[in-house]
Amino acid sequence: MKRSKKKKVNLFKVLLAILILFVIIFIIFKLINGIEKDKKILMDNLVGMNINQVMNDIEDYKLDVSTEYKYSDEVEKDLVISQSIDSGVEINSGDKLNLVISLGKLDKEKLKNDGINELGKVPIMMYHGIKNMTNSETKYTGGNVDKDGYTRTVEAFKKDLEFYYQNGYRMIKLSDYINGKIDVEYGKSPIILTFDDGNDNNIKVTGLDSDGNIIIDKNSAVGVLEEFKKKYPDYNVTAIFFVNNGIFNQPEYNEKILHWLVDNGYEVGNHTKNHDNLSKISTSQTQEVVGYMYDKLESILGSKYQKIIALPFGSPYNKTHENYKYVLNGEYNGKEYESVASLRVGWEPEVSPFNKDFDKTFLKRCRAYDNNGKDFDIEMVFRMLEKTRYISDGDIDRIVTSVSNKDIVISDLDKEVIYYE
Ligand SMILES: [Zn+2]
């Protein structure tokens, strides 16, 4: 009896010891865990460190890091200029950290000597028809097929394109110009090509290949442009075509042509339903002919057309005309339409999209014709541009110009602006 009681007491003691042990382990575990939780990670001072070292050091913290590069006279190349999270601030995985990194000292002297000027002028060339004939076959000067040069020979058009290229011009999309996205390599100048009226010689289709793709006449404007695309891959060949109700006047191919254009780097815009003179019709008719054409383009292309209108006859000539506001906004078929830009029939190059005077709702164009260097023909326009043209620094996010242009730069531009003396 006695022995058995002693045994029971011993068993009780062992169980109690085990229980106490568990409680102690539990308390220690809790304590350690609590300490872990309280251990905060604080941001280091990264300023002045090399970006490669920084990326290595912070890798484990799994931050959402973005970088931005800037020229700096004070901070050496590849070193951090600033950090969006201050040093000493607690960080957690997923936090956004933006680092500004130095590109080193900018050689402003070189920019100046190379004539870089992103406040210079941009030519928007206005073409209509391109006819498959040589210059000697016309009775007018320099490849003009008609007296005013609205239609030009293939020979003259090829010569124009070669001239633009050799003089350092590179094509950009009209929509990119309007949006201030001038992506042209260092030292080169942007140029924009426009075609009005949807003449069938803009893009003449001769048939379909075995896959059902359109076959384009090599002697129509797009045929010539496509040849230049192959010849000079850095030419960025593009153009915008402003069409009327007849589109390219090739009923069996019109829709295929529109799709081909927007799928191959070209743009399409509005030239009103019937090439209407917008200062000679009523306000409701204006909405009818402008809205109709947007509606038609949308029904074929969805959203892949440009909300840009080329004003037939360049009319109205001024923005005070009562119909002008319906060029930009109106209603047709129960739907509202909007033009983000309108093009006039002009005579001189337009200003840079970074100029305070830039007005995309009333842009001037240069007539692409020949008049022996007079009356704002191609030769005269490009002579005028020699000292005033836009010359790119090759960086789409940075604007470079002379300090003498400081007053004409848009003040709230969302790009870095660099001035040289
Ligand atoms: Zn027209």
Side-chain angles (χ1 to χ4, degrees):
M1 279 298 272
K2 251 186 183 175
R3 246 174 78 203
S4 128
K5 197 181 179 182
K6 201 176 180 184
K7 225 180 187 176
K8 256 187 190 166
V9 169
N10 277 344
L11 189 66
F12 177 74
K13 277 184 181 169
V14 169
L15 281 172
L16 189 69
I18 289 170
L19 186 70
I20 289 167
L21 196 67
F22 267 108
V23 169
I24 290 169
I25 288 169
F26 181 76
I27 289 168
I28 289 171
F29 180 78
K30 269 287 179 193
L31 265 170
I32 289 171
N33 213 24
I35 289 164
E36 271 296 311
K37 268 191 183 152
D38 285 346
K39 201 171 138 199
K40 291 176 182 171
I41 300 165
L42 305 179
M43 182 47 109
D44 279 336
N45 180 21
L46 308 174
V47 173
M49 283 177 72
N50 184 288
I51 183 61
N52 296 322
Q53 184 64 46
V54 168
M55 294 309 260
N56 232 343
D57 289 358
I58 63 176
E59 205 185 345
D60 290 345
Y61 306 128
K62 305 216 175 340
L63 298 172
D64 181 3
V65 184
S66 57
T67 51
E68 204 179 309
Y69 287 82
K70 263 187 187 159
Y71 283 96
S72 168
D73 289 345
E74 290 85 30
V75 183
E76 254 179 79
K77 191 173 184 293
D78 293 331
L79 303 188
V80 175
I81 297 172
S82 66
Q83 58 194 81
S84 63
I85 303 175
D86 289 337
S87 84
V89 172
E90 184 189 346
I91 48 171
N92 293 295
S93 80
D95 283 356
K96 287 190 191 324
L97 171 66
N98 182 263
L99 297 171
V100 180
I101 299 135
S102 176
L103 284 168
K105 213 171 175 146
L106 180 72
D107 191 346
K108 291 189 184 178
E109 206 55 33
K110 180 175 163 52
L111 294 170
K112 182 184 178 179
N113 291 338
D114 291 343
I116 304 302
N117 178 19
E118 296 184 289
L119 264 294
K121 293 198 168 176
V122 179
I124 307 173
M125 307 308 294
M126 181 181 73
Y127 285 93
H128 285 79
I130 300 300
K131 199 161 182 190
N132 186 15
M133 56 198 291
T134 61
N135 291 2
S136 60
E137 286 170 328
T138 81
K139 51 183 177 177
Y140 302 101
T141 187
N144 296 343
V145 175
D146 55 291
K147 185 172 149 288
D148 298 319
Y150 278 98
T151 297
R152 314 243 307 140
T153 65
V154 165
E155 183 187 346
F157 184 49
K158 285 181 179 171
K159 213 180 112 214
D160 294 349
L161 295 179
E162 196 71 48
F163 173 82
Y164 303 146
Y165 184 81
Q166 298 303 343
N167 280 282
Y169 287 88
R170 297 293 179 267
M171 295 181 213
I172 61 165
K173 289 191 169 106
L174 180 61
S175 63
D176 284 340
Y177 164 71
I178 283 165
N179 294 318
K181 256 177 64 187
I182 300 194
D183 195 3
V184 174
E185 68 182 284
Y186 184 91
K188 301 288 188 260
S189 302
I191 185 170
I192 297 149
L193 264 52
T194 71
F195 285 82
D196 287 7
D197 297 358
N199 286 304
D200 64 356
N201 58 34
N202 285 177
I203 177 164
K204 181 80 187 162
V205 173
T206 56
L208 300 177
D209 67 14
S210 53
D211 295 325
N213 300 313
I214 55 170
I215 301 167
I216 300 164
D217 179 0
K218 282 192 159 49
N219 288 309
S220 61
V222 172
V224 172
L225 286 164
E226 286 296 295
E227 286 302 304
F228 271 82
K229 200 185 257 182
K230 284 182 217 146
K231 187 175 177 187
Y232 302 119
D234 63 334
Y235 207 173
N236 308 324
V237 168
T238 183
I240 184 163
F241 296 86
F242 292 98
V243 294
N244 311 110
N245 195 23
I247 306 186
F248 288 100
N249 300 297
Q250 298 163 76
E252 71 267 55
Y253 301 126
N254 276 338
E255 297 199 3
K256 272 186 182 287
I257 294 173
L258 288 180
H259 281 285
W260 186 92
L261 286 172
V262 298
D263 290 342
N264 285 277
Y266 297 92
E267 300 190 302
V268 177
N270 187 340
H271 200 38
T272 75
K273 184 178 182 182
N274 301 308
H275 205 273
D276 307 271
N277 188 329
L278 299 183
S279 52
K280 291 188 174 165
I281 55 177
S282 69
T283 52
S284 64
Q285 282 172 318
T286 300
Q287 293 179 78
E288 157 87 26
V289 299
V290 173
Y292 171 89
M293 208 52 226
Y294 280 133
D295 212 34
K296 179 149 187 166
L297 290 174
E298 191 163 324
S299 72
I300 299 168
L301 291 172
S303 62
K304 292 200 279 182
Y305 66 98
Q306 296 302 316
K307 292 180 176 175
I308 303 174
I309 181 168
L311 300 169
F313 313 103
S315 173
Y317 303 121
N318 50 60
K319 292 170 75 171
T320 52
H321 192 283
E322 60 172 347
N323 283 347
Y324 174 74
K325 67 174 181 180
Y326 298 107
V327 165
L328 300 186
N329 293 285
E331 211 182 293
Y332 169 77
N333 207 9
K335 277 191 285 185
E336 284 181 7
Y337 65 81
E338 184 200 3
S339 303
V340 295
S342 86
L343 296 181
R344 308 155 75 185
V345 175
W347 52 95
E348 58 179 6
E350 258 300 342
V351 297
S352 159
F354 314 119
N355 187 314
K356 274 179 185 161
D357 290 336
F358 176 66
D359 179 6
K360 63 186 178 184
T361 66
F362 213 44
L363 295 165
K364 289 193 288 285
R365 288 188 284 176
C366 308
R367 263 176 69 193
Y369 81 124
D370 193 321
N371 199 16
N372 302 311
K374 302 190 308 287
D375 296 328
F376 300 95
D377 71 348
I378 295 176
E379 188 188 324
M380 182 176 170
V381 162
F382 283 81
R383 206 166 56 227
M384 285 160 58
L385 279 164
E386 269 167 35
K387 291 220 158 51
T388 58
R389 70 200 246 182
Y390 183 113
I391 302 180
S392 175
D393 73 333
D395 184 340
I396 194 165
D397 296 319
R398 192 184 67 195
I399 303 309
V400 174
T401 191
S402 162
V403 71
S404 63
N405 286 326
K406 205 163 188 168
D407 292 340
I408 63 166
V409 178
I410 293 173
S411 51
D412 58 346
L413 211 56
D414 62 343
K415 292 176 193 278
E416 186 186 5
V417 187
I418 286 169
Y419 298 102
Y420 52 77
E421 298 285 329

